[in-house]
Amino acid sequence: MNPYLLDLPAVVSFSGGRTSGFMLRHILDAHGGQPDGLKICFQNTGLEHAKTYEFITQVEDAWDLDLVWLEYTLTEDGKASHRVVD
């Protein structure tokens, strides 16, 4: 059994690092690309190095990904939340 072949629907967190990219590449290869039902998310802390953002964009374009960029935010009443950014 291929450990990278996921039961769908599924969410994969991509940090923008090398090992995360390695894992993502194997998941995509196991599925023959990004299948319906596989969400790939990058959680932007705002503290990443500029080269990390460049690498993520290159991976997104080269591997034809529908990548969701998320950022932490607070609601008006101070509760933790997130927003989708590009």
Side-chain angles (χ1 to χ4, degrees):
M1 173 158 178
N2 187 337
Y4 298 104
L5 192 58
L6 306 176
D7 291 332
L8 301 174
V11 175
V12 171
S13 180
F14 174 48
S15 72
R18 283 186 246 172
T19 55
S20 182
F22 176 87
M23 175 194 67
L24 178 58
R25 182 71 259 169
H26 282 287
I27 291 169
L28 295 171
D29 289 346
H31 288 275
Q34 184 177 359
D36 290 338
L38 179 63
K39 291 287 185 191
I40 304 166
C41 299
F42 166 66
Q43 288 75 28
N44 184 18
T45 66
L47 301 174
E48 287 81 11
H49 191 280
K51 295 282 186 188
T52 300
Y53 297 122
E54 291 175 23
F55 177 68
I56 292 167
T57 300
Q58 290 171 352
V59 166
E60 185 176 16
D61 293 342
W63 296 350
D64 192 29
L65 301 179
D66 180 17
L67 185 66
V68 179
W69 290 55
L70 300 171
E71 283 185 356
Y72 174 82
T73 189
L74 294 174
T75 63
E76 289 181 15
D77 58 354
K79 293 183 181 178
S81 188
H82 70 279
R83 62 184 173 172
V84 177
V85 296
D86 57 16

